Amino acid sequence: MILIIIIDIVGETMLQRALGSGWGVLLPGIFIAGLAFTDLSVHAWKAMIVLGLLLTSLMLYHKRLRHFVLLPSCAAVIAGVVLMMMNWNQG
């Protein structure tokens, strides 16, 4: 009930912000899905996860890049999921 009232008061800007953050998940997901077909090694996936985590922490402190912090963090999460699936298939 409260959510409906907030959406009515705020209008479409709240919904546009919620949908806008979806691109921060979709773009890295498409990129990682493309990389999944290249048969990268486990060490390359681990390096991608570390790089995504480092970029996330650096982007948090940058004034302009702070708005795009979902891109490297979601890439690290999705790469971690791919790495787990690779290890699960081997066992």
Side-chain angles (χ1 to χ4, degrees):
M1 181 71 172
I2 295 173
L3 183 62
I4 295 171
I5 293 170
I6 291 173
I7 291 174
D8 285 338
I9 291 172
V10 176
E12 292 182 14
T13 57
M14 181 179 171
L15 293 175
Q16 288 174 352
R17 287 184 186 166
L19 292 175
S21 65
W23 288 108
V25 178
L26 286 176
L27 290 177
I30 292 169
F31 176 69
I32 298 295
L35 285 177
F37 291 110
T38 61
D39 292 331
L40 293 175
S41 68
V42 173
H43 297 294
W45 286 109
K46 287 181 182 179
M48 194 175 308
I49 293 169
V50 169
L51 182 66
L53 293 174
L54 288 175
L55 280 175
T56 299
S57 61
L58 290 175
M59 287 174 77
L60 281 173
Y61 294 110
H62 196 275
K63 202 176 229 181
R64 291 185 183 161
L65 295 178
R66 187 178 302 154
H67 305 290
F68 304 105
V69 75
L70 275 178
L71 294 172
S73 62
C74 287
V77 169
I78 296 168
V81 170
V82 169
L83 188 62
M84 286 190 305
M85 288 181 358
M86 285 173 58
N87 286 336
W88 186 31
N89 289 336
Q90 290 176 359

